[in-house]
Amino acid sequence: MPETWWRGAAIYQVYPRSFADGNGDGIGDLAGLRSRLPYLADLGVNAVWLTPWYPSPMADGGYDVADYRDIEPTFGTLEEAEKFIAEAHELGIKVIIDVVPNHSSDRSAWFQEALAAGPGSAARQRFWFRDEPGDWKSIFGGPAWTQVPDGQWYLHLFAPEQPDFNWTNPEVHQEFHDVLRFWFDRGVDGIRIDSAAVLVKDFDGGDPDGYTDQPEVHDVYRGWRRLAEEYDDRIFIGEVWFPDQERFARYLRPDEMHTAFNFDFLACPWDAAALRHSIQETMATHIPLGAPPTWVLSNHDVARVVTRYGREDTSWDHGARRDGVPSDLELGYRRSRAAALLAMALPGGVYIYQGEELGLPEVDDIPGDLRQDPMWPRSGYTIPGRDGCRVPLPWSGGEPPFGFGTGEPWLPQPEAWNKLTAEAQAQDLGSMLTLYKTALAIRRDRLGDGTLTWLGSAPEVLAFTRESGLTCLVNLGSEPVRLPPHETVLLASGPLEGEELPTDTAVWLA
Ligand code: GLC
Ligand code: CA
């Protein structure tokens, strides 16, 4: 692949706990992932991004990192991770890992040292310890300050098991530079930066949101970019959630991150005007910076797209998750197919969250006592949280564990997933898996990095062409629309009606 592989890449997100279990303990691991690499190569993705694989007590699914330079023992060993990187590279797949710079686990050596060293110690300066708690709230619910036995309080924007680092301390900067080198030296091609905009805190401004997008946070990424430039072709992808496109774009300046997740597109309702607006805004902010946009439909933090698009309100909002609201899954499935063709046709990179290619719905009926997401207890058992999109994948066979492994999966899989296994879908020309595979193959040659030209169309229709001559049309209206003149139909998300594109359907023409 050329130097700029990432500009138009299709990146597959692996949630390691739920991808494939190699040793039968019901938890996904590196052995399982390595055994399924041929599946990813066959699917046709350019890169994988793994959510954290480090030693972790799993208070937040691995986003509570105890050691940034090793592998979680239930996932495997550092040696296996190195083998995985080499094997992925042999298959032409780049490897992106997750780095969590805002907070560590309370079990990390540094935090344990800080607890032992006591108030006023240098070890406490790596975190935010104070004699009095502040009034910020945790993003997972409840207060953001927790008291330790000697009376001091520490800050955690997320769970109490995730103490925030003090990014005014040069030692913290140095530590993360070392961590980046540790992984770049092991061949990792890219870093997804967790909670990238909240590292720097302003306690004095009286702002309840005094941790979001503080100006000094950009210095962190400038330093990281300089480090990455010492290597060939390594990239950063920021997890930057905010609606203000102008502030968002600042993270993509040429001396900061290479790309960032497009959550505006993810959060957008299934509505032509809203989607057109989101796409246009995205292009307008990215093009002047020379940064490729990304297109994201789902990830491990949001409701599965099939379920979301079948709801009455199809938008996404972290604050109002709508867990458990009724969904017309058939409608959601049809729209997800169309959305996949839209996302894959747009200029830039595209992210596919594991199971999206299988059309998995959100699992809404996980029993409370099996739920693992800290949102559930932290919200006083009112917000079920994110487990419903993290259920182990169905690979094969007619009943759970559906080839995920031999043991009982850490979250229960619905019986009805027997129709959604990768094995069942591989045989079926009309399946979601076949759609993704076919689309990714076409995308490799004709789509990805570049720009688009909008075509005149009815307001409920999104229509544009790409440099290769491929035209993408998505009908979000309630009536079928006539296809423009074309030579061939390359791919359609559902059956066409003669020369007409039915509602909630997308087509690629040449
Ligand atoms: C990011 C992750 C999410 C995690 C949080 C705290 O938003 O995607 O899963 O809970 O950061 O690390
Ligand atoms: Ca396992």
Side-chain angles (χ1 to χ4, degrees), residues 282-368:
T282 300
M283 297 307 294
T285 40
H286 285 71
I287 286 174
L289 292 161
T294 66
W295 308 99
V296 186
L297 291 171
S298 64
N299 67 25
H300 64 295
D301 293 326
V302 309
R304 288 241 181 229
V305 65
V306 167
T307 301
R308 192 149 41 88
Y309 284 160
R311 291 174 181 166
E312 199 180 315
D313 185 337
T314 52
S315 67
W316 174 257
D317 178 354
H318 269 312
R321 298 178 44 87
R322 305 188 190 92
D323 292 309
V325 311
S327 172
D328 176 345
L329 293 182
E330 231 166 88
L331 179 66
Y333 183 80
R334 182 185 173 88
R335 289 174 171 171
S336 304
R337 291 176 62 93
L341 293 200
L342 171 63
M344 286 196 253
L346 288 166
V350 68
Y351 283 82
I352 299 163
Y353 173 49
Q354 67 177 41
E356 196 182 298
E357 82 282 18
L358 302 176
L360 299 185
E362 185 77 2
V363 182
D364 276 328
D365 58 356
I366 300 172

Side-chain angles (χ1 to χ4, degrees), residues 19 69 115 129 183 185 258 293 303 320 379 414 425 437 446 455 509:
F19 187 69
R69 297 175 183 79
L115 287 182
F129 278 90
W183 293 106
D185 289 342
H258 300 75
S379 66
Q425 297 199 39
K437 226 170 113 171
R446 303 190 188 228
L455 299 177
L509 305 171

Side-chain angles (χ1 to χ4, degrees), residues 243-429:
D244 182 332
Q245 288 278 322
E246 199 261 324
R247 281 167 76 187
F248 172 83
R250 287 187 212 150
Y251 290 81
L252 297 174
R253 288 177 289 200
D255 60 346
E256 296 194 41
M257 300 172 187
H258 300 75
T259 66
F261 296 105
N262 188 346
F263 293 123
D264 186 72
F265 182 74
L266 182 153
C268 197
W270 184 247
D271 171 86
L275 281 166
R276 183 181 290 105
H277 179 77
S278 176
I279 296 165
Q280 282 171 341
E281 283 267 295
T282 300
M283 297 307 294
T285 40
H286 285 71
I287 286 174
L289 292 161
T294 66
W295 308 99
V296 186
L297 291 171
S298 64
N299 67 25
H300 64 295
D301 293 326
V302 309
R304 288 241 181 229
V305 65
V306 167
T307 301
R308 192 149 41 88
Y309 284 160
R311 291 174 181 166
E312 199 180 315
D313 185 337
T314 52
S315 67
W316 174 257
D317 178 354
H318 269 312
R321 298 178 44 87
R322 305 188 190 92
D323 292 309
V325 311
S327 172
D328 176 345
L329 293 182
E330 231 166 88
L331 179 66
Y333 183 80
R334 182 185 173 88
R335 289 174 171 171
S336 304
R337 291 176 62 93
L341 293 200
L342 171 63
M344 286 196 253
L346 288 166
V350 68
Y351 283 82
I352 299 163
Y353 173 49
Q354 67 177 41
E356 196 182 298
E357 82 282 18
L358 302 176
L360 299 185
E362 185 77 2
V363 182
D364 276 328
D365 58 356
I366 300 172
D369 58 337
L370 295 181
R371 289 198 173 272
Q372 310 255 338
D373 188 348
M375 273 187 184
W376 175 233
R378 298 277 301 166
S379 66
Y381 306 99
T382 57
I383 302 174
R386 302 163 296 177
D387 291 318
C389 66
R390 300 174 175 181
V391 172
L393 292 190
W395 288 97
S396 58
E399 54 197 51
F402 297 120
F404 171 68
T406 51
E408 194 186 329
W410 68 281
L411 286 173
Q413 301 160 307
E415 303 281 339
W417 282 11
N418 59 354
K419 295 192 190 64
L420 297 177
T421 64
E423 178 187 55
Q425 297 199 39
Q427 318 299 326
D428 176 359
L429 288 183

Side-chain angles (χ1 to χ4, degrees), residues 74-236:
T74 53
F75 293 167
T77 62
L78 189 55
E79 201 191 330
E80 277 180 284
E82 288 173 355
K83 285 192 185 140
F84 160 73
I85 296 168
E87 289 162 0
H89 285 167
E90 263 164 47
L91 292 169
I93 297 174
K94 303 277 185 182
V95 176
I96 297 166
I97 62 166
D98 217 307
V99 164
V100 187
N102 181 65
H103 46 266
S104 74
S105 159
D106 61 343
R107 310 305 305 170
S108 67
W110 269 15
F111 195 73
Q112 288 298 309
E113 195 187 329
L115 287 182
S121 60
R124 286 212 175 174
Q125 303 300 318
R126 294 165 176 156
F127 300 91
W128 289 110
F129 278 90
R130 294 190 144 190
D131 293 332
E132 298 295 332
D135 50 14
W136 286 354
K137 297 276 166 266
S138 153
I139 293 166
F140 289 157
W145 292 87
T146 288
Q147 196 168 28
V148 299
D150 57 45
Q152 280 210 307
W153 301 75
Y154 68 91
L155 175 73
H156 52 87
L157 288 185
F158 296 92
E161 295 88 349
Q162 295 168 293
D164 280 44
F165 286 115
N166 171 3
W167 277 90
T168 66
N169 186 337
E171 257 193 279
V172 172
H173 289 254
Q174 188 55 50
E175 168 71 357
F176 276 92
H177 282 199
D178 287 354
V179 167
L180 294 179
R181 285 188 197 284
F182 181 89
W183 293 106
F184 284 157
D185 289 342
R186 276 164 184 75
V188 159
D189 303 286
I191 305 282
R192 180 259 190 196
I193 309 171
D194 184 66
S195 304
V198 302
L199 271 50
V200 176
K201 277 80 183 177
D202 173 12
F203 295 105
D204 304 323
D207 181 354
D209 189 30
Y211 49 80
T212 300
D213 194 33
Q214 297 300 313
E216 297 81 10
V217 76
H218 293 283
D219 299 334
V220 175
Y221 302 123
R222 288 197 189 98
W224 288 24
R225 180 68 177 251
R226 280 194 297 276
L227 188 152
E229 303 285 329
E230 293 173 30
Y231 293 80
D232 59 341
D233 214 15
R234 311 299 165 97
I235 62 150
F236 296 115

Side-chain angles (χ1 to χ4, degrees), residues 23-76:
N23 67 353
D25 66 355
I27 303 168
D29 50 38
L30 285 174
L33 173 57
R34 286 169 65 200
S35 76
R36 297 291 182 184
L37 268 171
Y39 169 84
L40 296 177
D42 190 48
L43 180 60
V45 294
N46 307 106
V48 290
W49 150 40
L50 283 84
T51 59
W53 59 358
Y54 314 102
S56 168
M58 298 284 159
D60 181 23
Y63 283 95
D64 45 326
V65 178
D67 180 354
Y68 290 83
R69 297 175 183 79
D70 205 348
I71 296 294
E72 161 61 28
T74 53
F75 293 167

